[in-house]
Amino acid sequence: FIGSPEHLFHELKESSSLGTVLFAFFFILTYAIMFILAGVIMEVISAVASTEKNKLFEAYLVQALREAQCPQTFWSTKTGFLNGLVAEPGKIMTHCGIDVKELADFAD
């Protein structure tokens, strides 16, 4: 049928310039679609990785807080929670990158 792309391009060039332009257009269009799809795949992978990272962070923080020496009223009262923010639970949260001062402001 057709031996090589050069042969095809040569045949198109000899037959009409419109054929050459259409061939070039579809050739460029094919690569553009391929790069767009590659970008979409990268965005999906990035979103999945971010979601998984957040899940792992949340699981680590919950486990660390459960193992910590929390005051008895840390989980049940506002004052117990605020007192716990200056104790070991607050240190764990600070280590994880949580701003405990801002968290205390939200507790109000």
Side-chain angles (χ1 to χ4, degrees), residues 29-78:
L29 183 67
T30 302
Y31 277 100
I33 291 173
M34 182 178 67
F35 286 126
I36 289 170
L37 290 177
V40 168
I41 289 172
M42 297 293 183
E43 286 294 321
V44 168
I45 290 171
S46 176
V48 169
S50 176
T51 303
E52 290 298 318
K53 180 182 174 186
N54 289 340
K55 284 181 185 179
L56 287 173
F57 174 75
E58 180 184 342
Y60 169 76
L61 185 60
V62 167
Q63 179 184 0
L65 287 175
R66 285 185 180 157
E67 294 173 356
Q69 300 291 331
C70 296
Q72 284 292 79
T73 58
F74 181 73
W75 300 106
S76 59
T77 65
K78 180 181 171 185

Side-chain angles (χ1 to χ4, degrees), residues 8-47:
L8 173 66
F9 188 71
H10 183 31
E11 289 290 326
L12 285 172
K13 190 176 177 181
E14 284 182 358
S15 63
S16 72
S17 60
L18 179 64
T20 306
V21 170
L22 286 175
F23 177 77
F25 173 74
F26 284 114
F27 186 76
I28 292 170
L29 183 67
T30 302
Y31 277 100
I33 291 173
M34 182 178 67
F35 286 126
I36 289 170
L37 290 177
V40 168
I41 289 172
M42 297 293 183
E43 286 294 321
V44 168
I45 290 171
S46 176

